[in-house]
């Protein structure tokens, strides 16, 4: 048996012991979560998961707007230890291999600062790569091979025009010159929406329309159609096949008490409002994954508005989402990721949180461990 399997088995045994004291109420018949680790204490805005040190488990890059962004190393059982190396303040980040050496680099963006790139050595240590890019700032970023040359390029979501950065293959980026949209994009996701073999972009809208940008195959984008709604304030976006028809749909999570919405793909990249309205609480980050083991995509969102804070689970029942348990946590949710953090074969929750008392304040992140396979 591989070592990673042995680690996972010991984590399962530890999880069984925890249930008696920390099992939260079941969110569905087959999905149970227990409260896991608290991680750090800062103004948390974004989470990215990846194996930063090459040991076979998922580590966590947490973008912090104060006290510097941090890399947290997983011990294999979903307990995280802070990497002592400091990184810049940021509101979003990614762990991706942009130089083709099979380890992960760190990408960080900030409101009004240039892209920050840190080259990974494969062992959890990083060195900064000066890019020389203008300080255009960004709110979110996503990485994919946009121009079909075999490396990962970047799409920056911004307050204003979104920007595409092209990788030269070594992890150095240049501005493509594209300026997409004019609104406020709080998040972007990249995937093949129209099933033509290249990577398209979906950017949400804060106080205005979201956008679907279709790729011509060379990394240049044209707008397909807007995603519109009355007084939209979309903070969270996730793509996935929620209705099981083989194409990618979109979940749009709203704040300011707008309902959350599901938009279904017609197969050509055109998204149509399904009419589903998922009632508030105030949502921010959202992630899709099969948390209950029934082979469809469920939804987890972090709640970021008073008086309710914490996480909410929505169970997919034949393409329709039914709200499960809301687990309170005394902080405002800002981002969430679903992944197998303890190597037991099911999806756990890593949530980014901050506090608010007349202003944003530091708060620990929170992990919830899925006990469905225990």
């Amino acid at each position: 048996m591989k070592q990673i399997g042995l680690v996972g088995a010991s984590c399962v045994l530890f999880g069984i012991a925890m249930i008696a004291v920390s099992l939260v109420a079941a969110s569905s018949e087959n999905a149970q979560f227990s409260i896991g680790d608290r991680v750090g204490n800062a103004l948390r805005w974004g989470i990215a998961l990846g194996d930063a040190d090459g040991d076979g488990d998922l580590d966590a890059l947490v973008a912090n707007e104060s006290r510097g962004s941090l890399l947290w190393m997983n011990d294999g059982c979903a307990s995280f230890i802070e990497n002592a190396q400091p990184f810049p303040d940021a509101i979003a980040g990614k762990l991706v291999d942009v130089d083709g050496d099979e380890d992960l680099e760190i990408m960080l963006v900030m409101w009004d600062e240039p892209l920050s790139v840190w080259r990974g050595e494969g062992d959890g240590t990083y060195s900064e790569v000066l890019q020389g890019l203008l300080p255009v700032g960004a709110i979110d970023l996503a990485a994919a091979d946009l121009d079909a040359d075999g490396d990962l390029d970047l799409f920056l979501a911004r307050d204003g025009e979104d920007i595409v950065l092209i990788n030269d293959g070594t992890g150095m980026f240049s501005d493509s010159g594209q300026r997409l949209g004019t609104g406020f994009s709080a998040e972007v996701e990249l995937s093949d929406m129209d099933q033509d073999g290249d990577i398209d972009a979906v950017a949400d809208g804060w106080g205005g329309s979201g956008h679907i940008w279709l790729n011509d195959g060379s990394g240049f984008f044209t707008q397909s159609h807007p995603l519109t709604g009355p007084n939209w304030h979309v903070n969270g976006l996730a793509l996935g096949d929620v209705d099981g028809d083989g194409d990618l749909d979109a979940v749009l999570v709203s704040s300011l008490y707008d309902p959350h919405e599901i938009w279904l793909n017609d197969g050509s990249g055109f998204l149509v409002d399904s009419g589903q309205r998922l009632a508030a609480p105030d949502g921010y980050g959202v992630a899709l994954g099969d948390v209950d083991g029934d082979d469809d995509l469920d939804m987890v969102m972090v709640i970021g508005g008073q008086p309710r804070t914490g996480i909410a689970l929505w169970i997919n029942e034949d393409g329709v989402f039914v709200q499960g348990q809301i687990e309170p946590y005394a902080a405002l949710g800002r981002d969430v990721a679903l992944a197998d953090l303890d190597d037991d074969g099911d999806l756990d929750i890593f949530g980014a949180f901050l506090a608010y008392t007349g202003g944003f304040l530091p708060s620990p992140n929170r992990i919830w461990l899925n006990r469905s396979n225990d």
Side-chain angles (χ1 to χ4, degrees):
M1 183 181 291
K2 294 188 296 183
Q3 181 62 35
I4 186 171
L6 293 173
V7 171
S10 65
C11 295
V12 172
L13 292 175
F14 173 74
I16 292 171
M18 282 182 62
I19 289 178
V21 295
S22 62
L23 181 65
V24 299
S27 298
S28 78
E29 184 177 352
N30 297 311
Q32 296 179 330
F33 289 86
S34 64
I35 296 174
D37 205 4
R38 290 175 179 247
V39 182
N41 188 42
L43 282 178
R44 318 292 187 176
W45 286 97
I47 301 165
L49 300 177
D51 186 3
D53 54 4
D55 65 352
D57 55 38
L58 292 176
D59 309 303
L61 172 67
V62 180
N64 298 327
E65 194 179 8
S66 69
R67 307 184 184 183
S69 298
L70 294 172
L71 185 61
W72 294 88
M73 315 311 292
N74 191 345
D75 69 354
C77 293
S79 290
F80 289 82
I81 301 169
E82 181 182 335
N83 183 318
Q85 184 171 354
F87 298 99
D89 289 350
I91 56 173
K94 288 290 183 286
L95 280 165
V96 288
D97 179 13
V98 297
D99 59 5
D101 63 355
E102 298 185 356
D103 54 39
L104 301 182
E105 278 67 58
I106 290 176
M107 315 274 113
L108 296 168
V109 293
M110 188 63 174
W111 299 102
D112 55 1
E113 297 292 334
L115 173 72
S116 180
V117 178
W118 295 74
R119 191 181 308 280
E121 303 301 329
D123 60 358
T125 61
Y126 287 84
S127 57
E128 187 173 12
V129 180
L130 297 177
Q131 295 281 323
L133 295 170
L134 295 175
V136 294
I139 300 167
D140 191 31
L141 76 163
D145 185 4
L146 301 178
D147 55 1
D149 65 351
D151 55 39
L152 297 181
D153 311 298
L154 299 178
F155 192 110
L156 303 186
R158 305 177 61 242
D159 180 4
E161 299 168 317
D162 297 338
I163 291 177
V164 177
L165 300 179
I166 299 300
N167 191 345
D168 69 359
T170 70
M172 297 297 294
F173 294 91
S174 60
D175 189 342
S176 70
Q178 297 178 77
R179 297 295 182 266
L180 304 175
T182 59
F184 188 130
S185 297
E187 189 167 354
V188 62
E189 295 289 336
L190 300 177
S191 198
D192 184 3
M193 299 300 295
D194 54 3
Q195 302 184 84
D196 65 350
D198 55 38
I199 303 299
D200 310 304
V202 181
D204 64 17
W206 172 263
S209 298
H211 301 281
I212 299 175
W213 301 99
L214 297 182
N215 192 340
D216 68 358
S218 66
F220 280 83
F221 293 85
T222 56
Q223 183 170 321
S224 167
H225 61 286
L227 305 175
T228 60
N231 302 315
W232 250 13
H233 291 274
V234 179
N235 268 333
L237 166 66
L239 302 179
D241 184 7
V242 301
D243 57 0
D245 66 351
D247 53 36
L248 294 177
D249 311 302
V251 173
L252 303 171
V253 171
S254 301
S255 66
L256 301 183
Y257 305 101
D258 295 328
H260 316 306
E261 300 183 6
I262 313 300
W263 288 60
L264 299 179
N265 195 334
D266 69 358
S268 70
F270 196 94
L271 293 181
V272 179
D273 185 355
S274 71
Q276 288 190 67
R277 294 294 182 268
L278 309 181
D282 217 11
Y284 277 76
V286 61
L288 292 171
D290 182 12
V291 301
D292 56 1
D294 64 352
D295 296 323
D296 57 27
L297 294 179
D298 309 301
M299 174 173 36
V300 173
M301 73 176 69
V302 284
I303 306 168
Q306 302 291 359
R308 306 185 82 174
T309 56
I311 63 166
L313 179 61
W314 299 79
I315 299 301
N316 190 338
E317 296 185 359
D318 298 321
V320 176
F321 288 96
V322 177
Q323 186 169 330
Q325 185 71 22
I326 294 177
E327 290 303 324
Y329 184 56
L332 305 181
R334 281 301 178 266
D335 198 12
V336 65
L338 274 172
D340 186 2
L341 301 177
D342 54 4
D343 190 39
D344 66 351
D346 52 34
L347 297 180
D348 310 301
I349 300 169
F350 195 123
F353 292 87
L354 52 81
Y356 184 85
T357 305
F360 292 138
L361 298 171
S363 175
N365 295 321
R366 168 63 84 186
I367 293 167
W368 284 266
L369 297 177
N370 193 335
R371 297 307 180 192
S372 299
N373 289 336
D374 294 353

